Short mmCIF file of all heavy atoms in Angstrom, two decimals:
data_model
loop_
_atom_site.label_atom_id
_atom_site.label_comp_id
_atom_site.label_asym_id
_atom_site.label_seq_id
_atom_site.Cartn_x
_atom_site.Cartn_y
_atom_site.Cartn_z
N VAL Q 39 -10.00 -25.37 7.69
CA VAL Q 39 -9.71 -24.04 7.16
C VAL Q 39 -9.70 -23.00 8.27
O VAL Q 39 -8.80 -22.15 8.36
CB VAL Q 39 -10.73 -23.66 6.06
CG1 VAL Q 39 -10.58 -22.19 5.69
CG2 VAL Q 39 -10.53 -24.54 4.83
N ASN Q 141 -11.30 -11.91 24.29
CA ASN Q 141 -11.33 -11.82 25.75
C ASN Q 141 -10.37 -12.77 26.44
O ASN Q 141 -10.45 -12.98 27.65
CB ASN Q 141 -12.76 -12.09 26.24
CG ASN Q 141 -13.75 -11.07 25.71
OD1 ASN Q 141 -13.49 -9.87 25.74
ND2 ASN Q 141 -14.87 -11.54 25.19
N LEU Q 243 -30.14 27.56 8.55
CA LEU Q 243 -31.44 27.36 7.92
C LEU Q 243 -31.77 25.87 7.80
O LEU Q 243 -32.92 25.47 7.95
CB LEU Q 243 -31.45 28.01 6.53
CG LEU Q 243 -31.63 29.54 6.53
CD1 LEU Q 243 -31.19 30.14 5.21
CD2 LEU Q 243 -33.08 29.91 6.83
N ILE Q 258 -49.23 17.73 16.75
CA ILE Q 258 -50.62 17.26 16.66
C ILE Q 258 -50.89 16.05 17.54
O ILE Q 258 -52.04 15.65 17.71
CB ILE Q 258 -50.99 16.91 15.21
CG1 ILE Q 258 -50.29 15.63 14.77
CG2 ILE Q 258 -50.67 18.05 14.27
CD1 ILE Q 258 -50.93 14.93 13.63
#
Side-chain angles (χ1 to χ4, degrees):
V39 170
N141 298 314
L243 282 162
I258 72 159

